[in-house]
Amino acid sequence: MSRTDQIRGRLGRRDLLKITGAAAGTAALGNLTGQGVLPTRDAVARQDAANAIVFGVGTDVDELDPRTIDTQEGYIACANIYDCLVLYDLGATTLRPGLAESWEISDDGLVYTFNLRQGVNFHDGAPFNADAVVTWFNSIKEGAPGSQFDATRMVYMQDFISSWIDSVEAVDESTVRMTLPEPYSPLLANLAIPIAGMVSPTAIAAGLDSVAVNPSGTGAFRLARPEDWTRDSQLVLEANPDYWGGAPKVEQFIIKVVPEGSTRLQQVETGELDIAWALTPEDVERARQNPDLVVVEDAGLNTNCVELNTTKEPFTSKEVRQALNYAVNKEELSEGLYNGNMVPAGGVLPPVDWAYNPELESYPYDPDRARELLAEAGYDEGNPLTFTFMAYTIPRGYNPVGDRLATAIQEYWSEVGVEAEIQTAEWTQYRADRRADMFQCSLSGWQGDNGDPDNFLYSLLAGASKGAGNTAFYENPEVDALLRQAQEVSDQDVRTELYQQAEQLIVDDAPWVFLGYQMHQVVTRANITDFDLQPTYIYYMAGVGKA
């Protein structure tokens, strides 16, 4: 009898889920080394300013060039160092003016004219104007004058921005005109994602490697000196007193790396952290009992899944992919691993998305049906389905328990005769290998960037997104046609119908095991004021105070 069988004899499955793999969550963290500046006495001392907000995360910011960031931690940092032409309203995905005070869209949807904010300078002193916007756009547009486009580093730039814009030209010093090859309804929402942060032309001239560690934006906070970023330890950002939106309420915004979630909770309890991000459900429940802490929470704009690479055996078989969906009890996962804080998934879009379909036909827990489908695909006790199941180990907003999820899913699959061998990899390498088409099956997930269903369905599952957001390498021409049609119309009711048709086809094809949508939860000290949960998980910190 295996150890798991012995445990099951004494505990119900929900208890089993809570302990299964609990010690595995930091297995790969010892491999995080990073490249960067060594700690200095000055850099450490600078974090001790009394008027600072310290934000605890599980892994380091990847880099500080918004054009090349590829982690949520990087998005959080860049959302405060850089401004976009448009910004999200606080606590929402609706839009407000940013570096553009206003804009007009032509009747045919092909020309966007932005009226720029005047009198704004970048952190390095360069003026923000129409020429700066042109320089920024050309730097991300393949083939444009001064292009620095690098498909391996600018992972999302083509999918979200540059493919949808033919050119950007300066009409005058404070006006720019964007011309599109065809109408693209999500454009404004995409221009508010931190990857569209405006970078100083002086910084751009120094090259991608320089901007990655020497950022210069127009945002509320700035990196005053390179040595204020100590890799795998902390990033100290200073307030920009000349910020066009008004000086921030605190002198410093510090992103501190604390790999263990339990340690992040302890440090927010003792006051070493002011805000703790990506805590486990157990730690969130503990925080609720502490009068010095506040659990700030809302429905999550995210999706949690297992990706099945549709180009690799055995996942070229639709029956296999569907069987793995039927084998997982999502309701039990939610209660056992997430304390009920995961909404079980029918498909891709979370309930807070405006195109969510409550009538979507999906996969209930049905292990007998899973076995039938496996048998149809040629797998049984004499010929069991076997494959490698890749898992990340660090907490994510859509999955705060890390690879404990993989262990729980492995257990469900084993009950229908599937033998999945779990392997883990360091987070940066994990993402790179997944995009490089190296995995058969892997834990995955997504935190919405802009509130538009296009950001989920097209970014993650369109054929054109393969190797970027689409790392299931899934392609269905009928789905692609529906998604493109939805991008070209502006009527939200029409777009909703198109997205729901596409999502049903995707669910039927089962390129993912659809798991759930995690509650968005952040724990703060009780003296932190005006902290808004941003549905897109980026957190604008300029207006956040410390009583």
Side-chain angles (χ1 to χ4, degrees):
M1 178 181 291
S2 71
R3 180 175 179 273
T4 300
D5 290 334
Q6 291 172 338
I7 292 171
R8 185 181 288 113
R10 299 192 302 270
L11 299 174
R13 191 199 294 270
R14 290 184 185 178
D15 295 318
L16 177 65
L17 287 173
K18 289 188 178 183
I19 66 171
T20 299
T26 57
L29 289 171
N31 296 325
L32 292 173
T33 55
Q35 304 289 323
V37 187
L38 292 174
T40 68
R41 184 185 304 273
D42 252 354
V44 173
R46 290 169 73 86
Q47 74 172 316
D48 294 330
N51 192 18
I53 288 179
V54 186
F55 191 108
V57 297
T59 191
D60 199 10
V61 171
D62 53 341
E63 52 184 74
L64 296 174
D65 186 336
R67 300 170 298 172
T68 56
I69 49 175
D70 186 29
T71 67
Q72 199 63 43
E73 293 80 4
Y75 276 50
I76 293 168
C78 287
N80 290 283
I81 296 172
Y82 301 91
D83 293 311
C84 301
L85 292 176
V86 293
L87 300 171
Y88 299 117
D89 285 318
L90 295 178
T93 55
T94 50
L95 299 174
R96 60 186 165 111
L99 289 174
E101 290 187 307
S102 62
W103 51 88
E104 297 88 39
I105 304 172
S106 64
D107 291 342
D108 61 8
L110 297 179
V111 179
Y112 287 62
T113 303
F114 293 90
N115 305 302
L116 305 181
R117 196 174 296 277
Q118 299 183 53
V120 176
N121 290 325
F122 289 96
H123 298 153
D124 60 13
F128 170 74
N129 53 31
D131 287 340
V133 178
V134 172
T135 299
W136 163 80
F137 177 75
N138 286 346
S139 79
I140 65 172
K141 181 72 170 179
E142 187 173 15
S147 174
Q148 296 177 349
F149 178 74
D150 181 339
T152 64
R153 296 182 66 177
M154 297 182 183
V155 179
Y156 303 116
M157 200 60 73
Q158 283 188 316
D159 286 350
F160 289 173
I161 299 173
S162 59
S163 291
W164 310 110
I165 303 171
D166 270 345
S167 64
V168 176
E169 58 182 316
V171 177
D172 55 41
E173 187 173 340
S174 60
T175 311
V176 293
R177 180 184 297 127
M178 292 185 179
T179 302
L180 282 58
E182 53 198 18
Y184 179 62
S185 293
L187 180 63
L188 279 178
N190 285 3
L191 288 174
I193 302 173
I195 62 170
M198 291 290 120
V199 185
S200 161
T202 305
I204 288 174
L208 293 180
D209 290 338
S210 176
V211 180
V213 293
N214 295 289
S216 181
T218 63
F221 293 90
R222 61 189 178 185
L223 183 67
R225 330 176 295 174
E227 55 264 41
D228 287 343
W229 186 10
T230 306
R231 281 291 198 172
D232 299 320
S233 176
Q234 64 181 12
L235 171 67
V236 180
L237 300 176
E238 290 191 347
N240 175 8
D242 301 319
Y243 184 51
W244 60 264
K249 291 184 178 179
V250 294
E251 295 173 4
Q252 293 180 339
F253 172 47
I254 300 167
I255 298 177
K256 183 178 178 182
V257 181
V258 185
E260 288 279 4
S262 59
T263 306
R264 288 198 296 282
L265 177 62
Q266 291 169 7
Q267 291 191 6
V268 79
E269 288 174 331
T270 61
E272 294 172 75
L273 296 177
D274 297 299
I275 300 172
W277 186 70
L279 295 179
T280 67
E282 294 90 346
D283 287 339
V284 170
E285 293 309 307
R286 174 175 151 185
R288 292 188 199 278
Q289 311 308 314
N290 189 330
D292 294 328
L293 304 181
V294 175
V295 178
V296 187
E297 60 187 338
D298 204 349
L301 185 68
N302 63 68
T303 195
N304 189 12
C305 67
V306 178
E307 284 186 330
L308 309 174
N309 191 322
T310 58
T311 67
K312 295 184 184 298
E313 296 290 347
F315 305 115
T316 55
S317 166
K318 182 175 176 178
E319 289 78 14
V320 166
R321 301 193 303 264
Q322 290 181 335
L324 295 183
N325 272 277
Y326 281 117
V328 176
N329 188 332
K330 294 172 283 193
E331 289 74 12
E332 198 169 67
L333 267 183
S334 177
E335 292 298 326
L337 276 183
Y338 303 109
N339 286 338
N341 290 323
M342 181 185 83
V343 177
V348 180
L349 296 176
V352 295
D353 191 281
W354 50 260
Y356 174 73
N357 181 8
E359 306 301 323
L360 189 73
E361 295 181 14
S362 189
Y363 300 94
Y365 176 53
D366 189 344
D368 290 336
R369 180 59 178 149
R371 294 185 189 97
E372 290 173 3
L373 286 165
L374 289 171
E376 290 177 21
Y379 299 100
D380 54 25
E381 290 184 6
N383 180 35
L385 175 63
T386 63
F387 54 86
T388 300
F389 182 14
M390 295 300 301
Y392 53 80
T393 59
I394 61 174
R396 309 312 298 152
Y398 45 80
N399 173 31
V401 302
D403 59 349
R404 288 172 60 188
L405 174 61
T407 307
I409 291 171
Q410 178 193 49
E411 179 67 18
Y412 283 121
W413 287 342
S414 72
E415 293 183 357
V416 297
V418 173
E419 299 174 5
E421 178 192 359
I422 296 174
Q423 294 182 11
T424 61
E426 181 270 323
W427 180 233
T428 300
Q429 192 63 48
Y430 185 90
R431 296 193 319 277
D433 288 348
R434 191 170 59 190
R435 289 195 301 270
D437 196 15
M438 294 177 65
F439 294 164
Q440 283 179 289
C441 170
S442 57
L443 280 187
S444 188
W446 186 257
Q447 294 176 170
D449 293 293
N450 62 14
D452 195 292
D454 179 80
N455 182 243
F456 283 86
L457 296 173
Y458 188 90
S459 298
L460 303 180
L461 291 154
S465 301
K466 289 190 295 185
N470 179 0
T471 44
F473 292 86
Y474 167 74
E475 186 167 10
N476 180 326
E478 189 176 355
V479 169
D480 289 347
L482 289 165
L483 297 179
R484 283 296 298 123
Q485 189 178 349
Q487 291 172 338
E488 295 173 358
V489 298
S490 57
D491 186 291
Q492 186 164 306
D493 290 338
V494 175
R495 294 186 73 207
T496 296
E497 183 178 348
L498 292 166
Y499 284 126
Q500 290 183 353
Q501 290 178 41
E503 187 180 23
Q504 185 64 72
L505 291 171
I506 290 165
V507 170
D508 292 343
D509 284 339
W512 295 356
V513 176
F514 305 96
L515 296 176
Y517 317 108
Q518 186 69 23
M519 284 288 291
H520 187 177
Q521 297 171 314
V522 176
V523 173
T524 78
R525 298 283 301 171
N527 65 333
I528 297 301
T529 61
D530 300 312
F531 176 76
D532 290 301
L533 283 186
Q534 207 62 32
T536 57
Y537 300 85
I538 57 175
Y539 317 115
Y540 297 119
M541 300 300 293
V544 180
K546 192 172 181 178

